[in-house]
Amino acid sequence: DRRLAARLAAKRAALRLLGGGLGLRDVEVLRGRGSPPRLRLSARAQERLVRLGATRILVSLTHERAYAAAAVLLLRGEG
């Protein structure tokens, strides 16, 4: 289903940004009813995020009939 494909795309995008040595189980895509999607990171992935100097990780998901995509951003600084 397209929603699952978008979530998989988000996990893969996050793993590319965080670098090697991590797997799909290190990133979880969460979505509450009426709230934007967010990523939950394993302790190892969170350590990598900090090592990269990022303070936040944001995700955007999209899908339509034949396509699914995700964008993941690492942010530095406050906010």
Side-chain angles (χ1 to χ4, degrees), residues 2 5 62-69:
R2 293 176 306 274
T62 188
H63 56 79
E64 60 176 65
R65 289 185 187 155
Y67 302 98

Side-chain angles (χ1 to χ4, degrees), residues 57-77:
I57 187 167
L58 301 177
V59 61
S60 177
L61 308 174
T62 188
H63 56 79
E64 60 176 65
R65 289 185 187 155
Y67 302 98
V72 176
L73 298 173
L74 298 181
L75 301 179
R76 293 182 175 159

Side-chain angles (χ1 to χ4, degrees), residues 1-11 29 61-63 68-70:
D1 137 299
R2 293 176 306 274
R3 289 172 292 192
L4 291 176
R7 288 175 181 228
L8 180 59
K11 289 177 136 204
V29 180
L61 308 174
T62 188
H63 56 79

Side-chain angles (χ1 to χ4, degrees), residues 7-78:
R7 288 175 181 228
L8 180 59
K11 289 177 136 204
R12 288 181 173 170
L15 291 171
R16 278 192 296 274
L17 287 174
L18 293 170
L22 299 171
L24 290 174
R25 291 186 178 180
D26 289 302
V27 179
E28 183 179 3
V29 180
L30 303 175
R31 178 119 193 203
R33 186 175 287 263
S35 64
R38 63 187 182 92
L39 297 178
R40 181 179 359 197
L41 303 177
S42 69
R44 287 177 1 143
Q46 186 66 40
E47 288 173 14
R48 184 76 55 84
L49 183 76
V50 170
R51 200 173 324 137
L52 291 170
T55 55
R56 294 179 65 198
I57 187 167
L58 301 177
V59 61
S60 177
L61 308 174
T62 188
H63 56 79
E64 60 176 65
R65 289 185 187 155
Y67 302 98
V72 176
L73 298 173
L74 298 181
L75 301 179
R76 293 182 175 159
E78 296 183 32

